Amino acid sequence: MSSPTTGRSAAAGRAALGFGVLAGIVGLWHLGVRGQWVLVFDIKMAFLPEPAQVARLLWDFAFGGVFDDAFSGTLWQHLWASTGRVLAGFGLAAALAIPLGVLMGRYRLVHAAFDPAVNLFRPIPATAWVPLILLIIGFGSQATIFLITLSAFFPILLNTVAAVREVPPRLVEAAQMLGTSRANVLLKVVVPASTPGIVSGLRIGLGLAWVILVLGESNGIEWGLGSMITLAREQVRTDRVVVGMIVIGLAGFLSDRILLHGLRGIFRRRPLVRAT
Amino acid sequence: MSVSDLSCLTRHTDGGRVLVDDLGKRYGGAAGVDAVAGVSLDIAPGEFVAVVGASGCGKSTLLRILAGFEAPTSGTVEVGGRPVTRPGPDRGVVFQDYGLFPWLTVAENVRFGLRQRGTPRRRAGQIADAFIEVVGLTRFADRFPGELSGGMQQRVAIARVLANDPAVLLMDEPFGALDALTRTQMQHELRRLYREAGTTVVFVTHSIEEAVYLADRVVVMTGGAAKGVPGHITEVFPVLLGDDRDVNAADFNALERAISERVHAG
Ligand SMILES: Nc1ncnc2c1ncn2[C@@H]1O[C@H](COP(=O)(O)OP(=O)(O)O)[C@@H](O)[C@H]1O
Ligand SMILES: [Mg+2]
């Protein structure tokens, strides 16, 4: 047993270690660009902007006042537009995948009905959907949301099915012998018992939503981090591409934290989210 | 908390009669194994019956059929005059592994059954509080099961079924996972609770001492799929030792030995 104080200082030590590695990566990046290193895969570091340059551009992207061009201070508008699409696509995926997953995990007949379709559609990567979506939806916000829904749907579904199947039969028996109705066995026992697994699926789905965002926003969209990166690539602005990558990375990271801590806030001390 | 306190809080269902007639259970279809066969048992309302026997002789199978978790392959089972077809709140089950809902507090676990059966929130809370007090866990009412010891969790599980006011209490090695000291303590408490609650109890254990200490009758089962003979009842011992039983008394030990011989004779 460690006392709270040593526990906290150990956590601080681990955080320092993590930041040390990050600082090391940035340091190597800086040296690599300066020294024009050529790495495996023919990575030409000379083509990269320096970290300091990226930091300045990131600041300008967020708050303006440095370069004062069309790019300055537009981060929030891009981020807002992208966040909206991620939330819509992710929310829709969760709203469809969780109920279906609970029913598939609990009822053999529902599983038999949907499992073949799920296994046929699941291996098709989002990139392979793009040409078809271009033809039947056309690029834009709707296509992006559709792609995100599609990508987030399967990890949420599969995690939900697995979690429901792993609910200890004992808990269902306990509920039944207490006089619980079939509907409430599902709602009051199976769903809470599978919540840790469902939350894991949600986190994977949300992460994928940000991954697919860039693909979806790469055409026919004015505002969005993906369209910003696409435009930067067309203009050969490597520095802006890197800035866009960093912002998406941070947004993905932050949304995961918000999801996790939001749920922890709702559940309080109830053991419904896996310890990380 | 006295008897009258409890009875004014609950409807206080009388103990139910348990009638098992020529029960057989085969797992795994026609080519499967016969777990039990020809089991007949008549348990009076309010009676405490312990079932002992070597592992695999079908004790849990019998109990799970009484609970309605498993359907018999042959024979009939009646509780309180009604055939058992599915699990129901008239038959409260206490499992060896407690089966508490880990995401609910002690208080929420204990009022779960009452709430499911439509008892208003306030009243369910009052009844739950009373039973939490009966098992001595008032200070832990807002804790989660994962924060309690095994003995405390089993107390919660017992309070949970008693609050639900069952006619029959079915217990499958409920103290099997507890250390010796806690186990003895729980046996004392169960005897006290049983007298207050007045339910019929079917108690599965592989401890003969526990069976003799608690029960009005001890049912000995032998056989089992592994022995090539389906599990069946070989003898039923009445326990005529009165209410204050001393596990070190000569008559206690004599009965214990007689039952033990029957169990091991196979
Ligand atoms: N669900 C099941 N499927 C197949 N066989 C089972 C099942 N449950 C119990 N059995 C078998 O039935 C026999 C009796 O088991 P059980 O009732 O658990 O005995 P006990 O509780 O006395 O140890 C054993 O041979 C066991 O392997
Ligand atoms: Mg057993």
Side-chain angles (χ1 to χ4, degrees), chain B residues 87-204:
Chain B
D90 57 323
R91 284 150 291 135
V93 184
V94 176
F95 307 97
Q96 179 172 358
D97 56 5
Y98 327 124
L100 297 173
F101 305 122
W103 59 90
L104 298 181
T105 62
V106 166
E108 290 164 342
N109 265 286
V110 176
R111 62 174 180 252
F112 186 90
L114 292 158
R115 294 291 293 142
Q116 289 309 311
R117 293 183 306 118
T119 310
R121 185 181 297 276
R122 269 183 63 100
R123 184 159 175 75
Q126 285 170 350
I127 297 172
D129 287 348
F131 279 97
I132 291 169
E133 195 183 330
V134 163
V135 296
L137 288 177
T138 302
R139 283 195 307 124
F140 299 92
D142 294 324
R143 297 289 190 87
F144 291 92
E147 302 167 346
L148 306 181
S149 71
M152 288 158 93
Q153 291 189 57
Q154 197 56 295
R155 284 196 185 93
V156 177
I158 292 171
R160 173 174 76 171
V161 283
L162 289 182
N164 220 19
D165 196 24
V168 178
L169 202 54
L170 304 169
M171 310 179 87
D172 193 353
E173 306 199 28
F175 309 144
L178 307 179
D179 62 86
L181 206 67
T182 313
R183 186 172 184 145
T184 311
Q185 214 177 332
M186 296 292 288
Q187 289 163 0
H188 285 288
E189 285 184 32
L190 178 62
R191 254 177 91 78
R192 177 175 60 84
L193 286 172
Y194 159 70
R195 292 211 200 96
E196 290 184 14
T199 59
T200 308
V201 181
V202 183
F203 187 101
V204 166

Side-chain angles (χ1 to χ4, degrees), chain A residues 97-164:
Chain A
I98 295 174
L100 180 61
V102 168
L103 294 175
M104 279 178 72
R106 183 91 178 115
Y107 299 112
R108 221 174 291 169
L109 200 66
V110 182
H111 193 270
F114 287 95
D115 195 51
V118 167
N119 281 316
L120 267 176
F121 280 98
R122 188 168 63 93
I124 304 174
T127 42
W129 277 93
V130 172
L132 182 68
I133 286 171
L134 179 64
L135 292 174
I136 61 177
I137 301 182
F139 270 115
S141 214
Q142 289 198 65
T144 307
I145 294 171
F146 180 80
L147 273 176
I148 291 173
T149 304
L150 203 61
S151 318
F153 177 80
F154 290 105
I156 302 174
L157 180 77
L158 295 185
N159 274 276
T160 304
V161 172
V164 168

Side-chain angles (χ1 to χ4, degrees), chain B residues 27-28 33 35 53-62 70 172-173 204 224-226:
Chain B
Y27 287 112
V33 290
S55 152
C57 70
K59 305 182 296 292
S60 294
T61 298
L62 172 63
E70 307 277 356
D172 193 353
E173 306 199 28
V204 166

Side-chain angles (χ1 to χ4, degrees), chain A residues 4-81:
Chain A
T5 356
T6 59
R8 209 172 299 141
S9 70
R14 278 195 298 274
L17 207 61
F19 277 109
V21 169
L22 265 179
I25 291 171
V26 174
L28 285 175
W29 169 14
H30 176 81
L31 290 177
V33 177
R34 280 285 163 92
Q36 309 201 340
W37 295 352
V38 177
L39 308 177
V40 282
F41 302 122
D42 202 23
I43 297 170
K44 294 170 276 293
M45 296 284 283
F47 287 4
L48 278 178
E50 282 181 24
Q53 189 189 340
V54 169
R56 212 175 315 123
L57 193 66
L58 180 59
W59 175 274
D60 181 62
F61 187 34
F63 309 112
V66 182
F67 303 110
D68 284 323
D69 51 22
F71 181 78
S72 303
T74 57
L75 184 153
W76 309 108
Q77 204 163 344
H78 286 297
L79 182 61
W80 176 254

